[in-house]
Amino acid sequence: MNFNQFNLDSRLLASIRRAGYLTPTPIQEQAIPAALAGRDLIGTAQTGTGKTAAFVLPILQRLLDGPRRRARALIITPTRELAEQIHGVICDLGTGTGLRSATIYGGVGITPQTEALRRGTEILVACPGRLLDHLGQGNARLDEIEILVLDEGDRMLDMGFLPDVRRILKHVPAQRQTMLFSATFPVEIEQLARQSLRNPERIAIGLSRPVHTVEHALYPVSKHLKTKLLLRLLEQTRTDSVLIFTRTRHRAHSLAKKIERAGYKVTSLHSDRTQGQRQTALNGFKSGKFQIMVATDIAARGLDVDSISHVINYDMPDTADAYIHRIGRTGRAERTGDAFTLVTPDDHDMLRELEKIMKQRLPLLTLEDFDYDAPAPVVEPTRIQPRRGMRPNRSFEPRRPATAHMRHK
Ligand code: AMP
């Protein structure tokens, strides 16, 4: 299968070549022909599968014909970072078509967005809240939308955006093509699909299973030794870019400081930072200025950064789904990556659920020269972990040596 078979415009084929895509990914193979035929789609695909191009290419192809300077395609996505990322893919793949794309999201000035809307743009990539503001102020009109994409449906649900999405749907013509993408399908998303799509074709790629190019490893450790172990892992592992996840923005901030003190170039991405700071962090991470980025789930949702060699879960994610989304940041497309997770005795239940969903036991590794029995600082007696929580527990026994898939310097 190659891209020529889709009968795409030669300008699109040229930008596909420029982007370095040789063959369509499985979701592109299935979604592109259906979308080009005008079908509604439900795509079960996580990021890292090539899903953005799977909906962007059919949109660009369709918009080549017909009126310009009017909003004809609307992509709704939960976070600003994702909006920028999708906009970037549109700009790359749409080079030479003369089509325009604008991003609409909160946390930045409204005027430049209003001006872009007034000038006329064919594609809008929007987060729900700010788009509603523009609709309320009469800056945006959606009555000529032909294609609607609802991206990361489950995350929009988690973030409480579904009521806003429903409000937006009222402004969009009923006669349209709709594509809904979601990694999981809770009842609310199924309901939204029933209400907003017509006879959709369902395409499922890697449903709640991580991309195969990622190797997983669990590192059991007491809570109070997490940072020490992390620093040791960073020291002993040959890495390109490393993305580290923490549970809260406060932990992201303080961990980044500790890593910095250990001599690394590190930045952080979380919702306490302004949009400008986030963009600087992201650009610095993408360019390699910062080798390490510490992030929370929401901030890092769907990030598309090439060459992330390692995702490290400093804190175990709250759900198996979150784990899959996090590790989707590495091993993207045909690259390989490692996913390390620090596991404390408190994480047992989550670990069991994760292994059930992934249908595999994940290897437990220990570092040979690490003092797992170092006591917790006495100044914080409440944090001391019982030592027996560590290795004597059967399921915390390492199943293969630490060197098995770590690339030591
Ligand atoms: P996405 O799932 O849309 O976030 O895409 C994940 C990554 O795969 C991005 O870095 C894309 O540039 C890349 N990608 C998308 N389609 C292809 C393709 N057909 N061949 C190679 N890489 C691709």
Side-chain angles (χ1 to χ4, degrees), residues 146-363:
E146 298 166 33
I147 312 181
L148 172 70
V149 176
L150 302 172
D151 187 34
E152 309 256 346
D154 51 354
R155 196 54 45 159
M156 291 211 268
L157 168 71
D158 291 349
M159 292 171 75
F161 289 160
L162 281 203
D164 283 354
V165 171
R166 289 184 196 284
R167 260 174 238 133
I168 293 167
L169 284 172
K170 294 202 178 102
H171 293 261
V172 179
Q175 189 66 37
R176 59 165 198 263
Q177 182 180 13
T178 309
M179 300 183 235
L180 166 68
F181 292 88
S182 193
T184 57
F185 278 82
V187 281
E188 293 89 340
I189 295 298
E190 283 293 353
Q191 203 177 19
L192 179 73
R194 272 198 305 279
Q195 290 161 351
S196 52
L197 287 93
R198 287 186 196 174
N199 185 24
E201 181 159 332
R202 281 188 182 253
I203 296 171
I205 302 292
L207 171 62
S208 284
R209 295 289 304 277
V211 278
H212 65 277
T213 47
V214 176
E215 285 220 46
H216 310 261
L218 305 172
Y219 288 89
V221 65
S222 297
K223 265 189 198 168
H224 70 280
L225 294 175
K226 273 181 156 187
T227 306
K228 255 194 185 151
L229 185 79
L230 173 78
L231 293 174
R232 184 63 68 79
L233 272 171
L234 290 172
E235 212 176 281
Q236 295 195 350
T237 314
R238 187 175 300 144
T239 59
D240 291 328
S241 295
V242 183
L243 180 58
I244 301 176
F245 284 96
T246 62
R247 198 177 301 121
T248 64
R249 53 202 178 187
H250 173 70
R251 286 164 76 78
H253 178 76
S254 74
L255 183 63
K257 286 269 168 271
K258 287 177 192 151
I259 296 172
E260 189 173 36
R261 277 200 290 276
Y264 294 93
K265 298 254 181 277
V266 57
T267 187
S268 59
L269 193 71
H270 51 80
S271 51
D272 270 352
R273 308 202 79 188
T274 63
Q275 181 58 17
Q277 287 171 328
R278 288 200 211 185
Q279 205 56 55
T280 310
L282 202 52
N283 292 346
F285 187 54
K286 280 188 175 173
S287 71
K289 182 176 158 208
F290 301 113
Q291 188 203 349
I292 300 174
M293 182 158 78
V294 187
T296 56
D297 286 295
I298 287 186
R301 175 81 187 170
L303 275 189
D304 179 18
V305 180
D306 286 342
S307 81
I308 292 182
S309 62
H310 292 72
V311 166
I312 304 182
N313 296 311
Y314 178 83
D315 291 321
M316 185 85 169
D318 293 337
T319 61
D321 194 44
Y323 179 87
I324 287 156
H325 279 295
R326 285 181 181 187
I327 61 122
R329 310 280 72 74
T330 187
R332 290 169 88 71
E334 278 142 37
R335 300 178 193 95
T336 57
D338 289 274
F340 297 166
T341 303
L342 307 193
V343 194
T344 70
D346 288 351
D347 299 326
H348 263 230
D349 290 348
M350 189 57 238
L351 179 58
R352 228 165 281 134
E353 191 189 324
L354 183 61
E355 291 188 327
K356 207 166 76 193
I357 287 185
M358 292 179 58
K359 297 193 178 70
Q360 58 173 304
R361 302 287 302 267
L362 302 178

Side-chain angles (χ1 to χ4, degrees), residues 3 20-25 28 46-53 85 302 304 306 332-335:
F3 281 99
Y21 302 173
L22 299 177
T23 52
T25 64
Q28 290 164 359
Q46 60 198 83
T47 50
T49 54
K51 85 175 151 91
T52 315
Q85 213 162 276
D304 179 18
D306 286 342
R332 290 169 88 71
E334 278 142 37
R335 300 178 193 95

